[in-house]
Amino acid sequence: MNNDQICDALVAGKPWAGNALYACVESTIGAVLFRRLGYRDDEFDDLMQQAREKVFASVVSGQFARRCTLKIWAARITERIAVDAVRHRARERTFVDRSVSTNQLAAFPSVADTPERSIELHRRLGALRGALAAIKRERAEVLILHDLRGHNLIDIAKLKGVSVAAAQSRLFRGRREVAERIRKLRWEK
């Protein structure tokens, strides 16, 4: 089956077309992610799903102009997703060290060893609580489950009864809204 037949069938809503597209691009998506991120990266499955969904959506929406093969198109989309993931991790590392376990943190002395630090810590926690309370509940729940409790997006999606893409969207939007609200609080002082 050639690319045009798969694309035409997908646009027409043929039930078999999704499976045909999946079979056509799956190994390409996996290879690109492996090359960029390594074997079985923590977010490998989430990124695989994200790439599948983007390829599917681009074909259905007409964004895929058919000037190249589906495999090349899938590779380009996946490459962008992988680069975005690496950039996100680099930014995240400046704020969060996910390599430190809760048990290791318990061994550190309290950051509230002075009254000033204790007050600052309570002020920051209050700002975070206020920001989480002000955003949509489903976004706050996903943010807490992922960033504070350490659950992955697949588990969160199952727990909440939504797709992985929806869980990822809630996480992204929740983070953005919380950051904006905290930033506003800093400027209001």
Side-chain angles (χ1 to χ4, degrees):
M1 184 145 311
N2 70 31
N3 290 336
D4 287 332
Q5 290 172 323
I6 293 172
C7 292
D8 291 339
L10 242 146
V11 171
K14 304 279 185 188
W16 58 267
N19 290 335
L21 178 67
Y22 177 87
C24 178
V25 301
E26 186 69 8
S27 62
T28 301
I29 292 170
V32 170
L33 289 175
F34 174 77
R35 187 173 59 247
R36 280 291 180 185
L37 305 173
Y39 182 70
R40 283 296 166 204
D41 177 81
D42 289 342
E43 296 180 10
F44 192 89
D45 294 331
D46 292 342
L47 296 172
M48 284 281 293
Q49 182 63 28
Q50 186 180 354
R52 283 185 212 114
E53 290 173 2
K54 287 226 183 224
V55 170
F56 183 89
S58 69
V59 171
V60 171
S61 70
Q63 184 181 3
F64 175 55
R66 304 182 191 190
R67 290 187 212 132
C68 61
T69 67
L70 278 169
K71 288 184 179 194
I72 292 172
W73 183 250
R76 287 179 183 164
I77 288 173
T78 307
E79 186 73 30
R80 288 184 184 146
I81 289 170
V83 168
D84 287 347
V86 170
R87 285 181 184 151
H88 173 75
R89 290 174 189 175
R91 282 190 308 267
E92 186 180 64
R93 264 185 244 127
T94 62
F95 301 106
V96 178
D97 182 4
R98 295 198 181 273
S99 66
V100 178
S101 72
T102 308
N103 295 337
Q104 290 171 315
L105 288 176
F108 284 97
S110 171
V111 294
D113 54 4
T114 66
E116 293 81 11
R117 285 187 176 174
S118 179
I119 290 169
E120 178 63 16
L121 178 63
H122 286 289
R123 187 191 66 73
R124 287 183 179 192
L125 285 173
L128 178 60
R129 282 189 198 112
L132 286 169
I135 67 173
K136 288 185 176 180
R137 181 182 180 97
E138 62 267 8
R139 291 178 184 169
E141 288 173 347
V142 170
L143 185 81
I144 289 168
L145 287 170
H146 188 272
D147 289 354
L148 300 178
R149 299 289 184 189
H151 295 284
N152 66 38
L153 286 172
I154 294 172
D155 293 340
I156 294 170
K158 288 177 186 173
L159 181 66
K160 293 293 170 189
V162 297
S163 70
V164 175
Q168 187 173 24
S169 174
R170 290 178 183 181
L171 177 63
F172 173 78
R173 290 182 176 150
R175 282 177 178 162
R176 185 179 60 206
E177 288 178 29
V178 165
E180 286 172 6
R181 290 180 184 280
I182 290 174
R183 200 174 304 116
K184 284 179 185 176
L185 281 175
R186 287 183 187 156
W187 284 105
E188 288 175 1
K189 283 186 156 190

